[in-house]
Amino acid sequence: MKKIVCLILGATLVMQGFAQIDRSKQPKAGPAPEISITDPEIFTLPNGITVMVVENHKLPKVSVTYSIDMGPVREGNKAGVMSLMGQMLNEGTKTMDKARFDKEVDMIGADVSLYAGGGSASALTRYFNKAFNLMTDALKNPSFNEESFEKLKKQAITGLKTSEKSASAISGRVSQALSFGKNTAMGEFETEETINNITIQDIKDYYAKYITPSRGYLIFVGDITPGAAKTLALKALGNWKGNKLVFPEFSQVSNPEKTEINFVDLPTATQGEISVSNLITNPMNNPDYHKLLIANQILGGGSDSKLFMNLREKHGFTYGSYSSIGSGRFQSLFKATAQVRSEKADSAIAEMFREIENMRNGNITQEELDIAKAKYNGSFALGMEEPARAATYASNILINNLPKDFYKTFLQKINAVTVTDVQFVSNKYLRKDNSRITIVGNASKILPNLERLGYPVKMYDKYANPVEMKKEGTDVAETPKSTEAVSAASLINSYLTAIGGKEEVAKISTIKMDFTMEAMGATLEGSSIKKAPSLSSMEIRMGTMSVMKEVFDGTKGYAAQMGQKTDMDAETIKDKLDDKAPIPQLLYITSDYQTSYTGTAKVGKEDAYVLKVTKPSGKVVVEYYGMKSGLLLKEESTEKQGDQEFDLTTEYSNYKKVGNLTLPHTITQIAGGQEMSMQVTKYYINEGVTEADFK
């Protein structure tokens, strides 16, 4: 069944528009566009709200945002309360429930949304007044319905549980917590426990404290005059009263004294999630601000950056590697990231530091600099077409104490950056000796190679708590010798017995499986067929449209994706010929397969035996069988997609009876930084298959 999931990855890549392009030749940079920015009209309401109006009468549309400059909020053992409170603002007002509120918004074709830091609304000019009043009503008069609160609370916990398997989510949480401190506003994070601690009264208390006119900014953009905006604002918000906010102060935290590796063991991870980071202070009025933007663009700002060209194009370690540079009134992070094959994690880290060192040494070409500038010239000009961007620029100038011409001269300062400037800020802000390397991945595959880097390794759990390093850095026990009780043969026999018995399995000539899955926000349906010996067919559909189809008739085959048909190559055919039975474990006792019992491991919370299988083609698969159930819980292998290799993990669960057999009804794939779950709707054993299925 692993092959099925492998194909799903291929279908997903098609849906994403996966394509290989030649990045060896860079386009020439064009001239900087001319930027015209309208100065906003600014006035203050009696309650202290600062109002800004940016007139733009090109289109009959108006947008408004209300934002509260509250700074990072420390939530402590109720982490998540601000997010929940923001969601509750969208659950109806004291005068209308959510259904009626949403209907009122839909009737005028408007967009209205509220969040922890304020709200926004946009509509055609003739409907804008109503949209604005709906937003301000939700802001000032939330219902805080108990039923809605419990619903949102459950959704938050479900989301947290889903992220438990996400190496990316774990990495972000741990990196932030270790950099700033778990008990700070910048480093704390939500857990199931903190969400459960939140009560409806907490929601009301945080609302009363933070949703207020104090430090509030109301910004109108579009087809509206300052006079009309003032009239609206005074009527809706002029008499609004609330708590006076005090802007928080935070003490500076330090980078590690020496570069260190912070490792989180995630046995289910198929790749290593890597981030190299260090703390920086980069307010928007920093003289180095524009230089840092360009430096980051050159290092890891896109598919033509140094990191991307090295780790993906040159070495094939990853699908992509990028960097980011923080800014603002508080400390932030410089971070370089990549998802790489587990066995290449150490090499990838070495190459990431190599490119950082290239920046520090001034190994930057004029062409790289010109391309980076061109990117900013284009994106800045495009951004000016968005009303929300104009609103952000207007408020940024006030909040960050910027010169009035900050954005008018933005591109001038970008285009004035030199190679020497880039080298200077790289040395100043990109740390080499005081970095934090956060890795989330399978310790048994990654840790043994990390000693080559020469950095100390500290182990943490998913919640940034220090843990002891396991022997040899793994959760896998020392490999025991095969005994009569546990051996490769006994694991295979136990599995065949668990799913129905060797005799029943031997009766299977065909298996057809119908399934559904979610991918890229769409529901897909599919079917997979296996027929002895080695025949297979699979199709994935979106509605009536075939997204992907693959057929192998035992000798030759093809794959069709979005109407494009490609014959199978020799390597793929060789792989297909490995499994001559619908249940391949039936063949493992033959001389064509080499099997060995390699020890024990955890699969989730379940203890498992580990079986290494070398197939006739030479392909290696590692399988995990439950100690108690005997059932197949997980498979691991290395697969190819085009010229890229990736680790693939397939998890099997939700076993149910199908006639005399017991088969998995949930199959989850983790590969390429994605997790996809397939729900089996029906199995057909020795029925429903014809020769036409393999044409």
Side-chain angles (χ1 to χ4, degrees):
M1 293 178 191
K2 175 178 64 62
K3 292 288 189 285
I4 296 168
V5 201
C6 237
L7 293 172
I8 292 173
L9 175 65
T12 304
L13 291 174
V14 170
M15 295 175 67
Q16 293 176 319
F18 182 81
Q20 296 291 324
I21 59 176
D22 183 8
R23 299 183 179 88
S24 60
K25 297 180 180 178
Q26 305 286 5
K28 291 184 179 180
E34 301 231 351
I35 302 297
S36 176
I37 300 177
T38 304
D39 288 327
E41 289 281 338
I42 303 175
F43 53 89
T44 304
L45 299 186
N47 55 8
I49 293 176
T50 300
V51 183
M52 288 176 276
V53 184
V54 182
E55 287 190 78
N56 186 335
H57 301 287
K58 291 181 180 179
L59 295 172
K61 187 175 181 179
V62 189
S63 299
V64 66
T65 61
Y66 181 71
S67 60
I68 305 168
D69 184 26
M70 62 182 71
V73 175
R74 176 84 170 95
E75 299 173 333
N77 66 356
K78 297 182 187 290
V81 63
M82 287 294 288
S83 175
L84 272 176
M85 184 269 291
Q87 294 176 62
M88 286 291 293
L89 295 178
N90 295 283
E91 293 294 311
T93 72
K94 292 176 181 178
T95 58
M96 62 180 89
D97 61 20
K98 178 175 172 56
R100 184 185 165 193
F101 186 92
D102 291 345
K103 185 178 180 181
E104 292 288 326
V105 173
D106 291 341
M107 284 177 64
I108 59 175
D111 290 317
V112 177
S113 65
L114 288 298
Y115 36 86
S120 64
S122 66
L124 293 174
T125 306
R126 57 180 171 169
Y127 299 125
F128 177 72
N129 288 9
K130 184 173 183 178
F132 178 74
N133 288 327
L134 285 166
M135 182 197 81
T136 54
D137 186 30
L139 190 69
K140 297 190 300 177
N141 305 302
S143 64
F144 289 145
N145 177 276
E146 184 83 39
E147 184 180 347
S148 295
F149 170 68
E150 293 298 332
K151 176 196 69 177
L152 292 172
K153 195 170 171 179
K154 287 180 181 177
Q155 289 176 358
I157 291 172
T158 300
L160 286 172
K161 289 180 177 178
T162 301
S163 71
E164 286 301 294
K165 291 183 179 180
S166 170
S168 179
I170 295 168
S171 177
R173 178 170 66 221
V174 172
S175 175
Q176 199 82 359
L178 294 179
S179 295
F180 295 99
K182 286 176 62 176
N183 298 317
T184 68
M186 304 287 284
E188 66 182 4
F189 49 81
E190 301 170 18
T191 66
E192 187 172 347
E193 181 182 3
T194 67
I195 296 295
N196 280 323
N197 287 339
I198 301 169
T199 66
I200 190 69
Q201 188 58 50
D202 293 321
I203 297 293
K204 295 175 181 179
D205 291 345
Y206 272 75
Y207 170 84
K209 184 175 181 179
Y210 292 104
I211 305 302
T212 169
S214 177
R215 303 185 67 86
Y217 293 83
L218 185 66
I219 307 168
F220 295 87
V221 179
D223 187 27
I224 191 169
T225 64
K230 189 172 187 177
T231 300
L232 274 174
L234 280 169
K235 185 177 179 180
L237 298 172
N239 296 322
W240 185 31
K241 294 181 173 51
N243 180 55
K244 185 176 181 179
L245 291 177
V246 178
F247 198 68
E249 292 184 6
F250 296 98
S251 56
Q252 295 273 313
V253 291
S254 301
N255 285 304
E257 289 187 11
K258 294 183 178 180
T259 296
E260 64 182 43
I261 295 173
N262 304 143
F263 198 102
V264 179
D265 185 19
L266 188 64
T268 58
T270 60
Q271 299 187 73
E273 183 84 27
I274 300 169
S275 76
V276 176
S277 65
N278 63 259
L279 291 154
I280 64 169
T281 300
N282 182 32
M284 293 185 71
N285 55 12
N286 179 10
D288 296 331
Y289 179 77
H290 298 85
K291 301 170 189 175
L292 269 170
L293 292 179
I294 292 297
N296 180 70
Q297 184 67 39
I298 293 172
L299 175 64
S303 59
D304 47 21
S305 68
K306 288 180 176 292
L307 287 173
F308 195 98
M309 297 298 290
N310 183 326
L311 272 72
R312 171 169 171 159
E313 299 300 325
K314 181 179 179 181
H315 289 102
F317 293 157
T318 178
Y319 283 116
S321 180
Y322 305 94
S323 65
S324 59
I325 200 87
S327 65
R329 290 167 290 175
F330 304 99
Q331 271 186 301
S332 55
L333 287 173
F334 158 74
K335 185 179 286 189
T337 61
Q339 290 179 333
V340 305
R341 287 183 290 140
S342 299
E343 68 273 17
K344 297 296 184 181
D346 60 316
S347 300
I349 293 168
E351 292 303 322
M352 292 168 85
F353 274 112
R354 185 190 304 276
E355 294 304 341
I356 290 172
E357 191 63 10
N358 279 334
M359 298 289 292
R360 290 166 55 89
N361 290 335
N363 295 330
I364 305 152
T365 67
Q366 187 62 44
E367 183 182 22
E368 289 174 323
L369 180 64
D370 291 343
I371 290 170
K373 290 179 180 180
K375 296 272 186 182
Y376 268 97
N377 287 330
S379 63
F380 189 86
L382 189 63
M384 293 305 302
E385 301 295 323
E386 302 173 13
R389 187 70 60 91
T392 301
Y393 291 167
S395 61
N396 274 347
I397 288 174
L398 290 182
I399 292 173
N400 293 281
N401 193 28
L402 303 175
K404 287 186 177 181
D405 64 351
F406 180 84
Y407 288 104
K408 290 182 179 180
T409 61
F410 188 91
L411 292 185
Q412 293 176 29
K413 292 175 181 175
I414 285 290
N415 289 302
V417 175
T418 65
V419 169
T420 302
D421 291 333
V422 173
Q423 181 182 5
F424 172 78
V425 296
S426 296
N427 275 281
K428 186 175 178 180
Y429 295 94
L430 311 187
R431 310 313 309 158
K432 176 187 176 186
D433 301 322
N434 310 100
S435 294
R436 189 179 302 279
I437 306 167
T438 305
I439 306 175
V440 181
N442 190 324
S444 64
K445 293 184 177 181
I446 298 176
L447 277 180
N449 295 328
L450 289 183
E451 63 182 25
R452 304 175 192 173
L453 298 174
Y455 303 121
V457 179
K458 299 179 181 179
M459 300 293 294
Y460 294 87
D461 65 14
K462 298 177 183 179
Y463 304 102
N465 299 309
V467 296
E468 277 188 42
M469 186 176 293
K470 302 285 178 78
K471 186 175 181 180
E472 297 182 357
T474 86
D475 277 336
V476 181
E478 290 186 15
T479 303
K481 296 179 180 179
S482 293
T483 66
E484 291 185 1
V486 182
S487 66
S490 71
L491 294 181
I492 297 164
N493 287 327
S494 294
Y495 169 69
L496 294 173
T497 299
I499 64 172
K502 191 181 296 184
E503 290 185 3
E504 285 295 325
V505 174
K507 294 177 184 177
I508 301 172
S509 59
T510 64
I511 290 181
K512 181 180 178 182
M513 180 177 75
D514 292 340
F515 61 87
T516 63
M517 62 174 293
E518 299 291 324
M520 307 297 293
T523 300
L524 303 179
E525 295 181 345
S527 58
S528 171
I529 302 172
K530 300 281 286 186
K531 180 181 179 180
S534 302
L535 283 75
S536 64
S537 173
M538 178 177 174
E539 185 174 25
I540 299 173
R541 299 174 298 275
M542 183 187 295
T544 59
M545 180 180 71
S546 178
V547 177
M548 195 238 49
K549 185 175 183 180
E550 185 182 273
V551 174
F552 182 64
D553 66 5
T555 303
K556 62 184 185 303
Y558 66 87
Q561 298 179 340
M562 308 301 286
Q564 300 295 316
K565 190 173 179 179
T566 306
D567 291 335
M568 287 183 180
D569 58 27
E571 187 175 348
T572 304
I573 292 174
K574 186 178 179 182
D575 199 22
K576 291 285 184 184
L577 291 171
D578 270 341
D579 300 332
K580 293 182 171 57
I583 305 291
Q585 284 83 354
L586 191 66
L587 306 174
Y588 285 5
I589 57 176
T590 69
S591 60
D592 291 338
Y593 288 78
Q594 298 177 19
T595 57
S596 59
Y597 167 52
T598 63
T600 62
K602 286 279 190 182
V603 178
K605 295 182 179 180
E606 193 168 348
D607 294 319
Y609 295 117
V610 185
L611 181 71
K612 180 181 177 182
V613 181
T614 304
K615 298 189 174 188
S617 65
K619 184 168 187 162
V620 175
V621 180
V622 179
E623 300 178 342
Y624 298 76
Y625 293 89
M627 287 187 183
K628 293 182 179 179
S629 66
L631 297 170
L632 177 63
L633 305 179
K634 184 173 75 169
E635 290 179 337
E636 294 176 339
S637 64
T638 299
E639 306 293 335
K640 291 189 72 173
Q641 184 74 35
D643 61 351
Q644 297 289 324
E645 286 191 351
F646 59 91
D647 293 329
L648 173 69
T649 293
T650 307
E651 297 176 351
Y652 302 93
S653 59
N654 192 22
Y655 278 83
K656 297 179 183 179
K657 292 289 287 185
V658 180
N660 295 325
L661 299 171
T662 300
L663 300 173
H665 283 64
T666 299
I667 304 174
T668 302
Q669 168 205 298
I670 308 168
Q674 303 177 69
E675 178 175 321
M676 291 170 285
S677 185
M678 179 172 64
Q679 304 298 322
V680 180
T681 55
K682 190 171 183 177
Y683 281 101
Y684 303 83
I685 309 298
N686 295 334
E687 63 173 325
V689 177
T690 69
E691 293 300 318
D693 293 316
F694 308 102
K695 302 294 186 182

